[in-house]
Every structure is written in C-alpha cells, then in structure tokens.
Amino acid sequence: MKPTKLLFMNGNGMGRLAAWCMGAALALALSGCATAPGADPRDPWEPYNRSMSKFNDAVDTAVMKPVALAYKEVVPRPVRTVVNNFFGNLSDTWSFVNNVLQAKPVGALHSFWRVVINSTVGLGGVLDPATEMRLERHREDFGQTLARWGVPNGPYFVLPLFGPSTLRDSVALPVDWYGQPHTYINDTTVRHSLTGLSLIDKRTGLLATTDFLESAALDKYTFQRDAYLQKRLNEIHDGNPPQNEERYDLEPPAEAPEASASAPAQ
C-alpha cells in the first residue's frame, strides 16, 4: 500500500488495516520475535518498535503532517471547530457503549445525553451545547474496557501507520474502528470522505504535541513510549491510577539494591 493512499482509504479498508495490525501484534506475541537482551520489560520488541516508529515518522513527514498543516492554514478556525465537534459527537456514541460495558453509570449518562443534545440542539453534532451544559466528555474505548475486565496490558507495540499501542490495545483496535458510526454509511463516497477528514482532523489536533516532541526529546522514541504508557494508565483509571499499580505500566522496575555487607561478628 502506498502511503498516499492512507488519506483516501474507505472505512472497510481501514478496518482491514486495523485487523491486520491486530494480527501482527498477535504474531509477535506468539513468536516472541526480536526480544532484545536486557530490554525494558515493558518493551521487549524494542528493535522492531524503533524501526516501525521510523517508518511511521517518514510517512507522517511525507504525507500526514503536510496535509494537516495545509488544512490548518487554509480552513478557517470556526470550520475546523465544526469538524472537530462533529467527529467528537460520533466518538461519544462509542464512549457511551464502553462506559456501559465498564459499568460506569456517570460516564454512560453523560455520554448518552451529550449525543442526544449535540445531535439535536447541536444540529447533528456540529455545535457542542452539551459542554456548555457541563456534561463532561468521558472518552472510553474498547482497550480501556478490556483493561477494566482484567485483560493484561501486554508489551508496548508500535503499529504500522496507527503508531504507539500495546498488545491489548492492538487487539481492541478493530473493535474500536467498527464501533465508529460513520464506518456503517453505505454510500462509499461519503464514508470515504469522512474517513479521510477524520484522519486529517486528528492529525491537525496533534501538531503542537508533535512539534514539542521533536524539539524537547533527546530520544524521541523513548519519550513517546513513556508518554503513551503513562497516558493510557491515566485514561484507564480516569486520571487517578492507584498507588500500588504495577510499575510495568509506569516505568522500568528499579534495580535490586546490592547485597549489604555481612554484619560484624559479635
């Protein structure tokens, strides 16, 4: 697949790519491929992950970032806000499902009423009156649902084109993709256009973050990995990770202290 086709892939194509990424993650998990000696326990596939990160960066530099910059430059801010609101409203529907699956009544109620209000008073989601009514957005995805159900995090894994993930989130990716309402639109042209616009909207929202990452990180890969794992931990625990959470999800375990000298003879 040529990188330039990414922006013009229809919903079914992106779904197949998500399923392929899940398969690649499972294949790596089963094979134990490219486990580096003395690797960070969170990142046993670091050689592969670094190579894939470089590939993704090259695609981003050649395609996604220039398109996002052009979109930001050409499209007025109010129009970009309308687009962002629209896709945010679509994502609230999937968040509602995952809040229900995670038995989070407050999040489910907020997500439900956000969709109802923004889809009606908000003219199909292009406006966001629900936020003005102090209905908070509770973003949840199927990876978070699996975590809530006790599925282990698994190793850090960089997906082709999709970027940073974990084994658990990779398995959840196809479910998350098909949980988006616009993937069920029968009109191929409309579905095709919405998929591309959604990708551009997401990449535009990350411009400031990636610019900071490129300027601040001595090792971009390590910084991005640690930031992603910390972000996911906070998302899974709604911003309040427990103090006794496994260090595997946060940082490499501290080295065991050297054995102390023998006590002096009495």
Side-chain angles (χ1 to χ4, degrees):
M1 181 185 65
K2 295 181 179 179
T4 50
K5 290 185 179 180
L6 175 64
L7 290 178
F8 307 103
M9 190 181 298
N10 64 29
N12 291 333
M14 290 297 291
R16 287 192 295 269
L17 178 57
W20 182 89
C21 289
M22 180 191 74
L26 291 175
L28 275 176
L30 293 173
S31 66
C33 178
T35 302
D40 185 322
R42 305 167 303 169
D43 189 9
W45 304 325
E46 184 173 340
Y48 158 81
N49 285 332
R50 282 187 178 272
S51 297
M52 186 53 65
S53 292
K54 291 180 180 179
F55 169 78
N56 288 343
D57 287 345
V59 173
D60 184 70
T61 299
V63 182
M64 296 301 298
K65 187 174 181 179
V67 171
L69 287 170
Y71 175 75
K72 185 178 180 180
E73 181 70 22
V74 173
V75 179
R77 181 186 294 270
V79 177
R80 299 201 309 270
T81 299
V82 163
V83 171
N84 187 259
N85 286 343
F86 175 77
F87 287 112
N89 188 52
L90 294 182
S91 71
D92 282 337
T93 61
W94 186 231
S95 291
F96 165 71
V97 173
N98 282 286
N99 273 294
V100 171
L101 293 174
Q102 294 177 45
K104 294 182 176 180
V106 173
L109 283 172
H110 278 229
S111 297
F112 174 79
W113 285 113
R114 282 187 62 87
V115 173
V116 171
I117 293 170
N118 285 346
S119 298
T120 54
V121 181
L123 305 178
V126 299
L127 303 177
D128 187 13
T131 296
E132 299 297 324
M133 298 172 66
R134 299 185 180 180
L135 288 170
E136 297 181 12
R137 173 166 279 150
H138 296 261
R139 294 186 185 276
E140 301 289 342
D141 55 49
F142 195 63
Q144 291 166 261
T145 297
L146 291 179
R148 182 82 168 182
W149 291 351
V151 178
N153 189 59
Y156 179 70
F157 181 57
V158 179
L159 292 166
L161 303 178
F162 289 95
S165 186
T166 61
L167 184 59
R168 180 181 60 212
D169 289 344
S170 299
V171 171
L173 181 61
V175 181
D176 280 326
W177 179 258
Y178 285 110
Q180 298 300 316
H182 69 273
T183 63
Y184 295 95
I185 296 175
N186 290 326
D187 189 308
T188 304
T189 301
V190 174
R191 186 177 67 243
H192 182 117
S193 301
L194 287 175
T195 298
L197 186 58
S198 174
L199 292 171
I200 295 170
D201 175 64
K202 289 179 180 178
R203 184 60 184 91
T204 303
L206 293 172
L207 284 173
T209 301
T210 53
D211 287 346
F212 170 78
L213 182 64
E214 291 170 358
S215 63
L218 295 177
D219 183 351
K220 180 180 177 181
Y221 171 81
T222 301
F223 185 91
Q224 187 176 46
R225 177 194 65 197
D226 294 347
Y228 175 81
L229 293 176
Q230 179 67 65
K231 173 176 175 289
R232 286 302 282 172
L233 184 65
N234 286 333
E235 288 173 344
I236 289 165
H237 294 287
D238 299 324
N240 296 294
Q243 294 299 314
N244 63 349
E245 182 71 23
E246 291 184 10
R247 295 176 65 86
Y248 174 88
D249 287 319
L250 281 168
E251 57 187 20
E255 294 182 1
E258 295 182 3
S260 58
S262 301
Q266 297 294 328

